[in-house]
Amino acid sequence: MPWQSVRLLVDSKQAELLSDALVDAGALSVSLEDADAGTVDETPLFGEPDYPTAELWPHSIARVLLDEHADAAQMLATAAKQAGIPVPTEYTIETVAEQDWVRLTQSQFDPISISPRLWIVPTWHTAPDSHAINLQLDPGLAFGTGSHPTTRLCLRWLDEHLSGGETLLDYGCGSGILAIAAAKLGAARVDGVDIDAQAVTASRDNAALNGVRAHFCLPGEIAAGQYDIVVANILTNPLKGMAPLLAGRVRPGGQLVLSGILAEQADEVMAIYRDWFEFDPPAIDEGWVRLAGVKK
């Protein structure tokens, strides 16, 4: 069954009101994006928990997905009235053909080489190197497929520094990818924590898929104790707020690995943790950094 895709420019201050009204009026979905994407005026937005983005881009595009037989003009008029804004008159409509969405999604994810010996391989692919350490992982509800620079940075650190027998805590485990990689690289005991129960479930499922032993739980369920290594690939503001907690989980002489940090935020994060850790120079990938330090 085909659908209609309506594209229109919206004022950034009205975009979310109009989006909600369109869904109420019967739209199947509404997505908002930067109208200046791909130009010098492109504006990245980085929202973080408890630190919401004030507003959208100066110029926003709404893409509205409608049923094949929906009256786009009437729906826009109804939504505009509900949102208390003028009725949009300039918009385009395209037909979206039926597709095999599963196959299309799968085609966008190929095996990822982290190092010559470490690969991330979706389950529908054959491992490029059967002798490598292959992490089987599919895109899902939890963050962490290896495609994001922060995940790659942390995986590279684990690949370069784990020698076997370590204890490791993955704080904010998402899909469990870092904990699972650590277990495959020889860590003796691996724990993972996330505030999202779906992430905990996804991590357990992924550990089983990869045949490794790792314990995943919610923050209130983890036992007291310190680790040789603590990895936290989250975001800057949570990392700043959790500095005493994370520092307390690393044994003296142990190592802390932090990511989810933009390059311009690195000095601020290191300053907060410097009471406990001596840091190596930051590693950078596409504007994101990884910080690694040894506990004093």
Side-chain angles (χ1 to χ4, degrees), residues 140-214:
L141 294 175
F143 176 81
T145 61
S147 59
H148 195 273
T150 61
T151 309
R152 295 197 302 265
L153 285 165
C154 292
L155 286 170
R156 288 182 195 133
W157 189 95
L158 293 173
D159 182 48
E160 293 166 2
H161 291 84
L162 288 186
S163 56
E166 297 90 350
T167 59
L168 179 141
L169 173 63
D170 179 5
Y171 209 100
C173 57
S175 68
I177 186 171
L178 301 181
I180 293 165
K184 287 211 164 197
L185 289 165
R189 174 183 149 220
V190 176
D191 294 331
V193 172
D194 204 288
I195 61 172
D196 185 349
Q198 284 188 325
V200 173
T201 298
S203 294
R204 291 171 179 167
D205 291 345
N206 288 328
L209 176 65
N210 283 273
V212 300
R213 293 183 60 184

Side-chain angles (χ1 to χ4, degrees), residues 46-53 195 234-239 241-242 260:
F46 298 100
E48 299 190 17
D50 299 323
Y51 296 86
T53 302
I195 61 172
I234 315 177
L235 285 169
T236 292
N237 284 313
L239 287 175
M242 292 193 300

Side-chain angles (χ1 to χ4, degrees), residues 48 171 231-244 246 256-261 269 272-273 291:
E48 299 190 17
Y171 209 100
V231 182
N233 180 23
I234 315 177
L235 285 169
T236 292
N237 284 313
L239 287 175
K240 287 158 59 178
M242 292 193 300
L246 295 177
L256 177 70
V257 181
L258 305 175
S259 197
I261 304 162
V269 175
I272 291 172
Y273 281 84
L291 305 177

Side-chain angles (χ1 to χ4, degrees), residues 43-82:
T43 306
L45 300 179
F46 298 100
E48 299 190 17
D50 299 323
Y51 296 86
T53 302
E55 61 179 50
L56 296 171
W57 305 275
H59 309 101
S60 298
I61 291 174
R63 295 187 185 273
V64 188
L65 189 66
L66 306 179
D67 181 85
E68 177 186 12
H69 302 294
D71 185 335
Q74 181 59 49
M75 192 172 292
L76 287 171
T78 300
K81 182 178 179 180
Q82 178 180 322

Side-chain angles (χ1 to χ4, degrees), residues 12 15 54 58 64-65 82 110 124 131 134 154 159 186 193 202 206 213 215 228 235 244-245 252 255 268 273 286 293:
S12 63
V64 188
L65 189 66
Q82 178 180 322
D110 291 323
W124 56 83
H131 299 292
N134 292 302
C154 292
D159 182 48
V193 172
N206 288 328
R213 293 183 60 184
H215 174 254
D228 298 322
L235 285 169
L245 183 156
Q255 299 185 81
E268 182 182 5
Y273 281 84
E286 296 183 21

